[in-house]
Amino acid sequence: MTLSAKELEFNKNDDAMRLKIAQLERELEKIYLGGGQKKMDKLREKGKLSARERIDLLLDKDTEHIEIAAFAGRGMYEEHGGCPGGGVVVVIGYVSGKQCIVVANDATVKAGAWFPITGKKNLRAQEIAMENNLPIIYLVDSAGVYLPMQDEIFPDKEHFGRIFRNNAIMSSRGIPQIAAVMGSCVAGGAYLPIMSDESLIVNGTGTIFLAGSYLVKAAIGESIDNETLGGATTHTQISGVCDYNSENDEECLATIRDLMDKIGAAQDAGFDRKESIAPKKDPKEVYGILPKDRAKPYDMRDILKCIVDDSKFTEYKKDYGQSIITAYARIDGWSVGIVANQRILVKNAKGEMQFGGVIYSDSADKAARFIMNCNQKSIPLVFLHDVSGFMVGSKSEHGGIIKDGAKMVNAMANSVVPKFSVVIGNSYGAGNYAMCGKAYDPRLIVAWPTAELAVMSGAAAAKTLLQIEVASLKAKGEEITPERESELYNKIKDRYDEQISPYYAASRIWVDAIINPTETRKVISMGIEAANHKPITERYNVGVIQT
């Protein structure tokens, strides 16, 4: 049977997406190895489980979970031997039926030492816990601050000390914190388990002290071994620092599950949920719908039909401001308001054709009104990014694009309902901001393997930077041949393309995860479930908006 041109295009797109997903899975497999098999073997020789094994034992069997910032540190700190996963594993999952955050130091990565990205990842975990009133469990096994980089992790506001400040704030807000010392816990890091509500320590492997035996000897001349100085017996029988003494990792994790089982139910925010209905359209069809060539148009409605319940949604102002789709729908039963960029050519009110993926004045105005409506009705917001930015040029400027764009940003930034962002394709410039980029506090922000985050596309940036580079070289008297100009362009574009990849963003925790597109429903559903733990107490107020 001969395939139509549309079917051939679908198959090419599908193949391209599957290749990207295969790459994602290969990259994750590397991350899951942590510091390598030899380091894993050494842990087991000490009777310890790895960070991921601990988490697997702790979480309820056969339940979903979301890993946060798995790619943190990817490609960074190579001169220090690297820091895969940021040296810590963070998941949102379920323990004894309670949704919570689990943070586990990976002792196979520099003995669990804290790099700058480790601090950022831990702070992100605490931020998620505080935003959603989620219990947080720390599985501690860390050598403390990585001293060669102490100036980048120790003194600033968003550095190591912020962790303990957050411990105190969460305790004051009644957010449960449980810490298990399952390995080293030294220096300033020793405060984390003790600033938690309850702490456990594993006999023979867990130690807590402000200074280890070598430093004690050097500082005050006292000779003492680490176990006597700060082991399980010391801290459960003498100092009273820890509350529970466990014989091994397994017993410790079982005790945590028992403690979590007794936690009372929290008041919820009342977000509406009905019985979940699977999409009529197979979620894997997004593989073929999203074009391999990012310049080609596609209808975002086809993507939505693969994500929302029963493939049904109700569009708000369908025929106005068509470069943004605004719609009410359900995702895994949860009521949501969707703001999505539209990539097909559309007509405005005057019958003029508009480029897809660009935000125009009428689209920004529509989105702002829709966002206000969702806040009025206590409906969580979901933003699907594939945006090149706001429309430029004299016509747009004279029409007040800056004013209308500011209206959309204002309405979105002041939202009191939880916001979730999924970067499907482009997320460029001010379009990223308007569509609830990381700077605007989405409860979760994830990317598909096709995502690109930057001020502008690689090609556009390379052309701009090339002009500057060529002008500079000519000013120095250099003659620029077409071949030299092409060489410069490719060099600039290659460097910029690396920076706009989703892996570059994920390594720096600009996004919380890179996901298979078919996981989108799960991420949004678990995100709203988490957000539902925290009632909305703020009044929605957008401040001053020019109209």
Side-chain angles (χ1 to χ4, degrees):
M1 183 179 70
T2 303
L3 296 176
S4 67
K6 186 176 181 180
E7 288 171 326
L8 283 171
E9 185 69 21
F10 183 96
N11 289 345
K12 287 179 183 178
N13 296 339
D14 185 273
D15 288 344
M17 179 66 87
R18 288 179 188 274
L19 285 172
K20 287 184 178 292
I21 291 168
Q23 180 194 0
L24 171 62
E25 290 170 349
R26 288 194 301 271
E27 294 282 348
L28 284 171
E29 284 177 6
K30 295 177 190 175
I31 298 295
Y32 295 159
L33 287 174
Q37 192 59 51
K38 288 183 179 179
K39 299 284 182 67
M40 294 281 188
D41 293 340
K42 284 184 178 180
L43 279 186
R44 295 190 179 94
E45 287 171 11
K46 297 176 182 178
K48 297 164 67 174
L49 300 172
S50 71
R52 293 183 182 279
E53 287 171 335
R54 287 167 175 169
I55 290 173
D56 287 344
L57 269 180
L58 181 63
L59 296 180
D60 295 347
K61 301 300 179 189
D62 302 320
T63 58
E64 298 282 13
H65 71 274
I66 302 169
E67 182 163 352
I68 301 297
F71 288 106
R74 179 183 179 272
M76 301 167 68
Y77 316 120
E78 296 297 335
E79 68 277 20
H80 296 277
C83 187
V88 63
V89 183
V90 175
V91 300
I92 302 174
Y94 303 89
V95 177
S96 297
K98 310 290 196 310
Q99 193 179 37
C100 60
I101 304 278
V102 183
V103 180
N105 297 115
D106 187 348
T108 68
V109 179
K110 286 288 192 296
W114 289 56
F115 283 71
I117 198 68
T118 316
K120 186 172 184 178
K121 187 168 176 176
N122 275 267
L123 288 171
R124 177 60 179 144
Q126 289 185 321
E127 181 181 41
I128 292 170
M130 289 189 286
E131 285 180 333
N132 300 291
N133 280 358
L134 283 185
I136 186 165
I137 298 167
Y138 307 98
L139 306 181
V140 183
D141 195 346
S142 171
V145 168
Y146 182 62
L147 291 178
M149 302 188 75
Q150 66 84 27
D151 61 320
E152 297 181 48
I153 184 62
F154 174 69
D156 209 349
K157 180 179 179 181
E158 298 296 328
H159 282 178
F160 194 59
R162 190 76 171 181
I163 303 289
F164 315 130
R165 174 264 186 191
N166 288 348
N167 288 143
I169 296 297
M170 282 190 279
S171 185
S172 72
R173 293 181 183 174
I175 300 172
Q177 298 175 86
I178 298 172
V181 180
M182 309 180 81
S184 297
C185 184
V186 302
Y191 286 103
L192 184 147
I194 314 312
M195 294 192 72
S196 298
D197 303 319
E198 292 184 278
S199 61
L200 307 87
I201 187 167
V202 178
N203 192 28
T205 56
T207 53
I208 308 173
F209 35 65
L210 296 181
S213 56
Y214 291 119
L215 186 53
V216 167
K217 177 68 174 177
I220 64 173
E222 180 184 2
S223 295
I224 188 170
D225 64 90
N226 283 338
E227 186 66 25
T228 306
L229 180 65
T233 300
T234 295
H235 284 311
T236 56
Q237 294 184 22
I238 300 172
S239 71
V241 164
C242 290
D243 306 307
Y244 306 92
N245 185 346
S246 301
E247 280 305 308
N248 50 47
D249 283 7
E250 290 84 353
E251 182 183 313
C252 181
L253 297 168
T255 304
I256 295 172
R257 289 184 53 80
D258 189 56
L259 294 173
M260 286 293 295
D261 180 61
K262 308 304 186 294
I263 292 176
Q267 183 182 357
D268 65 45
F271 301 129
D272 187 66
R273 190 179 198 184
K274 288 184 166 53
E275 183 179 351
S276 177
I277 302 174
K280 287 181 179 176
K281 203 175 185 72
D282 185 348
K284 286 187 178 179
E285 284 196 41
V286 296
Y287 297 173
I289 295 168
L290 196 67
K292 175 184 175 182
D293 180 352
R294 303 301 298 115
K296 287 189 176 180
Y298 66 94
D299 194 336
M300 180 62 82
R301 294 180 183 88
D302 293 333
I303 298 284
L304 293 182
K305 289 174 184 176
C306 296
I307 295 173
V308 303
D309 285 17
D310 204 27
S311 298
K312 288 173 58 178
F313 49 91
T314 303
E315 282 197 56
Y316 171 81
K317 291 184 178 289
K318 180 180 178 180
D319 299 319
Y320 177 73
Q322 294 183 57
S323 71
I324 285 182
I325 294 171
T326 49
Y328 298 107
R330 289 189 182 275
I331 294 178
D332 196 25
W334 293 104
S335 169
V336 296
I338 295 172
V339 180
N341 303 115
Q342 176 62 298
R343 289 300 301 263
I344 59 174
L345 287 171
V346 294
K347 288 183 180 180
N348 63 17
K350 298 178 182 178
E352 301 164 327
M353 297 305 296
Q354 296 181 336
F355 296 108
V358 179
I359 301 176
Y360 294 81
S361 284
D362 53 358
S363 301
D365 173 70
K366 176 174 83 169
R369 290 170 181 266
F370 181 73
I371 290 166
M372 292 180 205
N373 280 345
C374 287
N375 275 272
Q376 179 79 359
K377 295 188 279 190
S378 196
I379 299 174
L381 285 159
V382 176
F383 295 83
L384 302 179
H385 299 220
D386 196 352
V387 58
S388 302
F390 285 88
M391 191 59 191
V392 297
S394 60
K395 186 174 181 180
S396 292
E397 298 292 358
H398 296 170
I401 185 66
I402 295 176
K403 175 185 66 179
D404 291 318
K407 185 192 302 182
M408 179 179 175
V409 171
N410 198 328
M412 179 273 301
N414 282 295
S415 285
V416 296
V417 296
K419 299 169 290 192
F420 301 88
S421 281
V422 182
V423 185
I424 289 175
N426 304 337
S427 188
Y428 295 157
N432 169 275
Y433 297 165
M435 293 295 292
C436 193
K438 185 65 182 290
Y440 293 85
D441 297 323
R443 297 292 177 96
L444 291 173
I445 176 170
V446 297
W448 288 6
T450 45
E452 294 185 356
L453 291 87
V455 172
M456 59 183 75
S457 72
K463 289 175 184 176
T464 304
L465 294 170
L466 177 66
Q467 293 176 34
I468 297 170
E469 181 76 7
V470 168
S472 174
L473 292 172
K474 285 182 176 179
K476 294 175 183 176
E478 286 193 36
E479 182 180 344
I480 306 299
T481 64
E483 292 78 15
R484 173 66 170 147
E485 188 169 316
S486 177
E487 179 187 338
L488 285 170
Y489 172 82
N490 290 330
K491 184 178 179 181
I492 293 169
K493 186 175 183 299
D494 288 346
R495 185 175 70 246
Y496 199 87
D497 282 346
E498 179 187 350
Q499 294 179 358
I500 68 178
S501 105
Y503 294 98
Y504 192 90
S507 71
R508 289 150 180 81
I509 320 184
W510 300 343
V511 296
D512 291 314
I514 304 173
I515 65 169
N516 185 321
T518 58
E519 294 183 297
T520 303
R521 279 171 59 83
K522 179 189 82 172
V523 169
I524 293 171
S525 176
M526 286 185 66
I528 298 175
E529 181 184 354
N532 200 41
H533 287 82
K534 187 173 185 179
I536 296 173
T537 56
E538 302 170 83
R539 179 175 175 271
Y540 184 54
N541 189 336
V542 294
V544 177
I545 291 185
Q546 293 189 32
T547 58

